């Protein structure tokens, strides 16, 4: 199955999940021997960790089980005729998190501290492109010399097609288009955002993510990389690199801090700023609106309150109740109905 999927956008995650999480527990069983109870036990073992393994969050456990389910789906088409045990097995519940976005003021702060990454972050915030799409982005994908500048999203880092295998056209604001024209005039690479060697940026998710977080630290939007020493001392640092603990001579590795802004939030910021979930779905290239709503589109609470304040029944009924006129209005309504009868 992996051999046939080699080169597809999902190949890397399929191979990693099966090799690191599924095969160590179920690799000695034939597919016909795997029961729903085995899948549930796999989920428990991955969540607990142990035997030198770190415990996995529920979302990563779900991801491993989905990869196992894809094996049964594929083999059923080829040679396996039983039902997949992953259907009956209970899966861990993933806590739902609201989509997160940067405010307009926070975007301005971030860009002011982005240094050599300013143009890339500005472009990402005004187009909503993924990291893999950005690093594979070529000058031929841009249409800048028209009244309506836009970009054709036609590929990604791991494939010649976007993640959802559907090309899409994303408009570019005129000021951003002017910035791109200036960069095009001095460009020496076919890539808009090349790596140091002029070729496609390698490890874009890490490179862009680290650059974003360093800028966010300078802008005061995040605390930085957390370091927790075995001696009990905790501290934050503005860069990812390992550091010596101030309290003891040990070298401490950085850890991810959940809940802080990441490069991905430029995408949700763009989607939410569009103000229409259907427009956001099309611009982000999602085949399903629920993906946009669950992960990227944040409803503006202030706009919801504005809409609630002007509801007809919210305005009129409240005033009638305050002045004691509801009873009188009801009585007059009854009088009119009796007269009509």
């Amino acid at each position: 199955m992996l051999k046939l999927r080699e080169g597809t956008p999902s190949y890397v995650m399929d191979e990693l999940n099966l090799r690191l999480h599924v095969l160590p527990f179920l690799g000695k069983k034939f597919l016909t021997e795997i029961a729903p109870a085995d899948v549930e036990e796999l989920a428990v073992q991955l969540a607990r960790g142990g035997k030198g393994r770190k415990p996995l969050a529920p979302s990563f456990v779900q991801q491993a089980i989905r990869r196992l389910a894809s094996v049964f789906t594929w083999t059923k088409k080829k040679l396996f005729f039983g039902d997949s045990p992953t259907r009956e097995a209970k899966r861990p519940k993933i806590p739902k998190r609201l989509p997160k976005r940067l405010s307009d003021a926070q975007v301005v702060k971030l860009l002011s501290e982005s240094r050599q990454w300013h143009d890339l972050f500005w472009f990402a915030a005004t187009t909503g492109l993924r990291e893999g799409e950005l690093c594979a982005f070529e000058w031929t994908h841009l249409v800048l010399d028209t009244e309506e500048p836009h970009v054709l999203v036609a590929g990604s880092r791991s494939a010649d097609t976007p993640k959802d295998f559907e090309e899409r056209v994303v408009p570019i604001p005129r000021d951003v288009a002017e910035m791109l024209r200036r960069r095009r005039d001095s460009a020496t690479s076919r890539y808009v955002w090349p790596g140091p060697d002029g070729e496609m940026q390698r490890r874009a998710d890490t490179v862009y993510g680290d650059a974003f977080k360093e800028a966010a630290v300078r802008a005061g939007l995040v605390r930085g990389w957390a370091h927790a020493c075995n001696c009990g001392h905790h501290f934050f640092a503005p860069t990812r690199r390992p550091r010596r603990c101030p309290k003891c001579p040990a070298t401490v590795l950085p850890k991810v801090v959940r809940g802080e802004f990441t490069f991905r939030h430029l995408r949700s910021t763009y989607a939410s700023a569009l103000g229409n979930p259907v427009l956001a779905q099309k611009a982000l290239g999602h085949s399903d609106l629920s993906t946009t709503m669950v992960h990227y589109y944040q409803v503006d609470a202030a706009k919801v309150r504005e809409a609630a304040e002007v509801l007809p029944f919210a305005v009129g009924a409240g005033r009638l109740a305050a002045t004691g006129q509801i009873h009188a209005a009801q009585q007059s309504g009854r009088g009119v109905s009796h007269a009509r009868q």
Side-chain angles (χ1 to χ4, degrees):
M1 184 195 77
L2 288 175
K3 183 68 175 177
L4 292 176
R5 288 191 175 184
E6 192 170 359
T8 63
S10 63
Y11 172 79
V12 174
M13 293 305 300
D14 285 342
E15 194 275 337
L16 282 175
N17 274 277
L18 291 174
R19 175 167 53 85
L20 296 180
H21 304 319
V22 177
L23 289 179
F25 294 98
L26 300 176
K28 294 183 179 181
K29 288 180 175 286
F30 290 105
L31 290 178
T32 52
E33 297 176 336
I34 298 177
D38 295 318
V39 181
E40 293 180 2
E41 179 63 22
L42 168 66
V44 171
Q45 293 295 335
L46 292 178
R48 287 179 179 173
K51 296 182 179 180
R53 299 172 60 93
K54 292 183 178 180
L56 295 183
S59 59
F60 288 99
V61 176
Q62 279 268 36
Q63 195 174 90
I65 295 176
R66 281 198 297 270
R67 258 60 190 199
L68 176 60
S70 69
V71 174
F72 284 96
T73 301
W74 183 85
T75 51
K76 190 170 184 178
K77 296 177 182 178
K78 297 292 184 180
L79 49 88
F80 183 77
F81 297 99
D83 291 331
S84 172
T86 58
R87 292 184 178 181
E88 298 181 25
K90 293 182 180 179
R91 300 192 183 191
K93 293 184 178 180
I94 301 176
K96 293 184 178 180
R97 297 184 177 90
L98 293 175
K100 192 173 182 180
R101 60 164 294 186
L102 285 80
S103 67
D104 295 346
Q106 288 173 329
V107 173
V108 172
K109 283 184 180 179
L110 175 76
L111 294 177
S112 67
E113 297 291 346
S114 296
R115 298 178 181 174
Q116 72 269 26
W117 298 96
H118 174 277
D119 292 352
L120 171 61
F121 292 169
W122 191 22
F123 180 77
T126 52
T127 57
L129 269 63
R130 303 176 178 93
E131 294 100 321
E133 294 168 342
L134 286 167
C135 69
F137 192 48
E138 301 181 20
W139 290 109
T140 54
H141 299 152
L142 280 170
V143 179
L144 299 176
D145 303 316
T146 65
E147 289 295 324
E148 297 180 351
H150 60 273
V151 53
L152 174 64
V153 184
S156 65
R157 172 185 53 212
S158 56
D160 294 330
T161 57
K163 184 177 179 181
D164 290 332
F165 298 96
E166 182 178 349
E167 294 183 355
R168 68 187 191 277
V169 173
V170 180
I172 302 175
R174 288 181 174 81
D175 287 349
V176 180
E178 179 60 31
M179 173 270 292
L180 291 169
R181 281 192 286 268
R182 290 195 300 269
R183 292 182 64 91
R184 182 183 60 184
D185 293 340
S186 60
T188 58
S189 171
R190 66 189 178 103
Y191 294 103
V192 180
W193 315 109
D197 57 356
E199 296 300 316
M200 184 186 296
Q201 175 69 65
R202 300 178 182 87
R203 299 173 60 245
D205 49 351
T206 302
V207 173
Y208 295 167
D210 287 356
F212 177 93
K213 193 164 185 176
E214 289 175 14
V217 172
R218 292 192 294 268
L221 303 181
V222 302
R223 293 171 292 177
W225 279 266
H227 293 68
C229 184
N230 291 332
C231 72
H233 183 66
H234 295 73
F235 61 97
F236 287 87
T239 59
R240 177 192 284 272
R241 68 179 178 81
R243 294 173 180 268
R244 288 195 176 277
C245 176
K247 301 293 184 181
C248 69
T251 300
V252 188
L253 298 177
K255 295 183 178 180
V256 175
V257 179
R258 289 189 175 275
E260 289 190 339
F261 286 120
T262 64
F263 184 85
R264 183 186 180 188
H265 289 120
L266 290 177
R267 187 166 161 83
S268 56
T269 298
Y270 168 74
S272 301
L274 290 176
N276 184 312
V278 176
L279 291 179
Q281 176 198 359
K282 296 299 182 183
L284 297 185
H286 294 150
S287 57
D288 193 342
L289 180 60
S290 63
T291 302
T292 308
M293 295 301 296
V294 171
H295 299 290
Y296 294 97
Y297 192 84
Q298 184 188 73
V299 178
D300 192 330
K303 291 183 178 179
V304 175
R305 170 157 290 281
E306 289 176 6
E309 292 291 349
V310 297
L311 289 173
F313 46 84
V315 175
R319 292 176 181 171
L320 288 174
T323 58
Q325 297 176 9
I326 289 183
H327 181 71
Q330 291 174 342
Q331 293 296 327
S332 62
R334 289 175 185 173
V336 172
S337 64
H338 285 306
R340 288 177 178 174
Q341 291 177 358

